[in-house]
Amino acid sequence: MSETASITLNGKTLELPVITGTENEKAIDISKLRDQSGYITLDIGYKNTGATQSAITFLDGENGVLKHRGYKIEDLAEKSTFLEVAYLLIYGHLPSKEVLEKFRADIKAQMLVHEDMKIFFAGFPSKSHPMGQLSCLVGALSAFYPESLNPNQTEEEENKTIINLLGKMPTIVSWIQKKSLGHPVVYPKKDLGYIDNFMNMIFGEVNSDKTFDPVIIDAMHKLLILHADHEQNCSTSTVRIVGSSNANLYASVSAGINALWGPLHGGANQAVIEMLEDIKNDGGDVEKYLAKAKDKNDPFRLMGFGHRVYKNFDPRAKIIKKACDDILEKLGVQDPVLDIAKKLEEAALSDQYFIDRKLYPNVDFYSGIIYRALGFNSDMFTVLFALGRLPGWIAQWKEMRDKKEPIGRPRQVYNGEIDRVYTDISTR
Ligand code: CMC
């Protein structure tokens, strides 16, 4: 007999179906509750609400497990490449060698961005935040590829849009970095791979043979893979909910970029490095900042700490911490903020406030130190997060479309004024 949950409201008992996921997680299906009882559920911040059934990413926050399409993040970060993981997320299975080659070639063929995009891009002030520029440019792609507006695209047409966005995103990101430096943009090259091309467009040709240090390329693959998807987080839920109105992929991803920007989400990686800098410049007293983070009258939070879902450890943070040590050592970079980061982590992990609330370093705690060692400005860090998250957003948008999910539309409990009498402005 299938499991059910009973709820009794005003003496009437309703049986609600229980849904069991393939990793045995449980949910009570309340989708008919209002029709049957007139009641809705209230869950501010969706802390306990499943918005969909998804086959893309599995996350067990208690045990620090993250898998994409059934593959462990540790294996993907160690052995795979960013575009292979992108393929896996979007299409649901690992590609054969030939399929992956074609996928790479198709994406490379779309890396050039329409020259007219440069006209309005030139209008952004050079100091405007990269995330604002990125969301505008990605949204604007819909104007250059209006065929994407058709919500009834064939699979082939939809794929073209997906490939186009994957191809153009690194080029757009490189434009933004170049503008901040006042440098001319660098065009993508046919003979370079996705990441090499990206690094070349950002930093120019480092070696005479046009290759980058494999340590750097490997670090970029790792960082992007670790950010590639994270199930129904704030930006991904935004992409799905915007896409559920049949908005095109560019518009949906542009909305996701804006959601990611906030310092409580992807913007944390920039905020972490700025916080570590502040602590260093303030004499390096980590206890002082721990005290501030614990003080409820102080808005300061320890950036890069805590997670809505992980309540033991963030598996991505474990991988990144090691990658950070390896990369700094291999590149011979000595970054004093790394020492502050380690001291802060050690102090927080043995502090009762953080222990009680299960607050651990998240993926963003160490990523900024690596990005900085690679030569990126701190306001570019969240843009790099977006580049990594792109395949996840696309996969989630596509899954929602393929399953023909209904438009997202939460309810509310109204608690405002009722039945006020309108008076003319002259009598007020
Ligand atoms: N520093 C100090 N206290 C904290 C922190 C922190 N970083 N995070 C949570 N708390 C406290 C919070 O004050 C609350 O305490 P109390 O129960 O006494 O009121 C308790 O821990 C629970 O916090 P919450 O805000 O209810 O938890 P949440 O699940 O709503 O928020 C979070 C999760 C990630 C937004 C939060 O931990 C935070 O603000 N962290 C800092 C920002 C950050 O690093 N964000 C990146 C997240 S990982 C990248 C991504 O995928 O977005």
Side-chain angles (χ1 to χ4, degrees), residues 47 227 230 233-234 260 262-269 272 292-294 296 300-311 314 316 353-354 357-359 362-365 385 389:
K47 292 196 175 198
H227 287 93
H230 214 226
N233 54 80
C234 175
L260 187 74
L264 296 187
H265 190 10
N269 56 12
V272 168
K292 271 167 75 62
K294 293 189 283 184
K296 294 291 171 203
F300 176 79
R301 276 193 166 196
L302 214 53
M303 299 314 287
F305 259 79
H307 198 275
R308 171 61 60 80
V309 185
Y310 293 124
K311 298 297 173 201
D314 178 342
R316 304 166 303 169
Y353 173 97
F354 290 87
R357 289 165 182 77
K358 298 184 188 327
L359 301 170
N362 58 51
V363 69
D364 286 330
F365 194 65
F385 190 153
R389 185 54 55 88

Side-chain angles (χ1 to χ4, degrees), residues 177-202:
Q177 163 98 0
K178 285 299 197 189
K179 186 187 182 87
S180 74
L181 300 170
H183 293 173
V185 303
V186 173
Y187 286 87
K189 287 193 159 53
K190 283 206 179 86
D191 55 342
L192 292 182
Y194 192 75
I195 302 290
D196 297 69
N197 234 323
F198 173 63
M199 296 301 272
N200 190 61
M201 289 188 288
I202 295 254

Side-chain angles (χ1 to χ4, degrees), residues 5 66 81 91 149 174 190 207 210 274 296 309 316 342 383 385 397:
L66 173 62
T81 60
Y91 302 107
L149 271 56
S174 76
K190 283 206 179 86
N207 299 331
K210 291 187 195 164
E274 288 169 359
K296 294 291 171 203
V309 185
R316 304 166 303 169
K342 286 189 171 164
V383 168
F385 190 153
W397 180 91

Side-chain angles (χ1 to χ4, degrees), residues 68-69 71 76 84-95:
H68 296 316
R69 302 288 191 183
Y71 297 98
L76 295 173
E84 189 184 32
V85 172
Y87 186 97
L88 172 70
L89 286 167
I90 297 167
Y91 302 107
H93 54 91
L94 286 173

